[in-house]
Amino acid sequence: MNRITAIATAAFALLGFAGAAQAHQIWIEQPAGEKTAVVRFGEFGENLREVSPGLLDKFGKPTATLVSAKGEQSVDAQKTASGFALPFGAAAGESIVAEDAGYPLSNRKQGDKQTVGRYHPAARLVTGFAPLQPKLVLDLVPAGHAGEFKLFFKGQPKAKTKVALVTQSGWAKEGHTDEQGLVKFDLPWQGTYVAEVSVSDAVAGERPGANGPEKFDSVSYVTTLTYVKTDGIAALPAGPAAAPNK
């Protein structure tokens, strides 16, 4: 099992995530010089981006919000053949958050008991390390210093939680948040970094559904943070693109 998916594998097993070879994540990409961003689904460190027709169709309607000094702009992301397009990008000092709160629930049998699990993928794109306030249920935000992040869960700092960091080449590091929810990484390379964190919440609840309220027994939250570093050691190239799942 690779270093970034280990914490999420159990969560996807709980949700019966058939058809994918391994646990997945969503992340936000904004190519250099572009004014718009895209929400991707797959494995960043494996250079795997799911497509439509294919596993990308598992998603419903991800929403995204641009957070800036001018206020917030929220939209429904638009599905394309290789991701979910956003009509905006993040300029210096801005951030984008995205999530899919309507991912299909999944049934799982535990002995004689049938349980229902919910998977809640989310992502954040940041352009710097000025401290930000959390917006997602599980949110990793810059903490004021280069390479330093703070993890929040339901608005409170989340201690002793694994955070996995990977680059486009597959170079990876792992860290754990301290008692204040802080974790710090060295960022030696130029290029894109994606950090991932996962929390399983064994608390039952319900959400609105197309045919009325949908009840669930637990939630698996998986959130990523994307940051593009413009200085440092020249980035190692990404590996060959992995074949999308059908």
Side-chain angles (χ1 to χ4, degrees):
M1 183 177 296
N2 66 52
R3 67 275 141 196
I4 195 167
T5 60
I7 47 180
T9 299
F12 274 86
L14 173 67
L15 296 172
F17 190 76
Q22 55 191 342
H24 278 22
Q25 61 195 190
I26 66 171
W27 70 96
I28 303 172
E29 289 184 356
Q30 183 174 330
E34 296 291 330
K35 294 184 178 180
T36 58
V38 180
V39 179
R40 304 289 190 194
F41 175 56
E43 284 291 331
F44 177 74
E46 304 295 331
N47 200 11
L48 169 61
R49 291 161 176 79
E50 300 294 1
V51 300
S52 175
L55 210 57
L56 188 65
D57 297 322
K58 186 86 171 179
F59 277 87
K61 293 183 178 180
T63 59
T65 301
L66 174 65
V67 182
S68 72
K70 299 177 182 178
E72 298 184 0
Q73 178 184 354
S74 297
V75 299
D76 291 332
Q78 300 299 309
K79 186 166 68 175
T80 69
S82 59
F84 289 89
L86 304 179
F88 48 61
E94 297 179 340
S95 181
I96 299 172
V97 295
E99 60 185 333
D100 184 1
Y103 193 91
L105 301 181
S106 182
N107 295 318
R108 182 192 183 210
K109 191 172 182 180
Q110 293 179 308
D112 295 329
K113 183 180 179 181
Q114 192 79 18
T115 63
V116 179
R118 179 184 178 189
Y119 168 54
H120 192 125
R124 179 183 281 273
L125 171 71
V126 300
T127 55
F129 290 99
L132 295 175
Q133 293 300 311
K135 285 189 61 64
L136 303 165
V137 177
L138 180 66
D139 208 350
L140 189 65
V141 299
H145 299 92
E148 186 177 52
F149 306 97
K150 189 166 186 176
L151 180 64
F152 289 89
F153 183 56
K154 298 182 178 179
Q156 300 299 317
K158 179 68 173 171
K160 298 181 180 179
T161 303
K162 183 186 290 186
V163 181
L165 182 73
V166 67
T167 69
Q168 55 205 356
S169 69
W171 176 92
K173 291 285 186 180
E174 289 184 352
H176 288 80
T177 58
D178 64 14
E179 294 296 336
Q180 289 74 46
L182 295 168
V183 63
K184 187 175 178 61
F185 293 98
D186 291 329
L187 305 176
W189 310 98
Q190 296 175 17
T192 302
Y193 291 82
V194 173
E196 182 188 62
V197 63
S198 175
V199 169
S200 294
D201 190 15
V203 176
E206 67 176 36
R207 68 183 186 185
N211 300 312
E214 297 178 337
K215 295 185 177 181
F216 50 86
D217 300 300
S218 62
V219 187
S220 175
Y221 295 96
V222 180
T223 297
T224 65
L225 176 145
T226 301
Y227 172 69
V228 179
K229 189 169 183 281
T230 58
D231 60 353
I233 303 171
L236 298 174
N245 294 283
K246 300 299 184 181

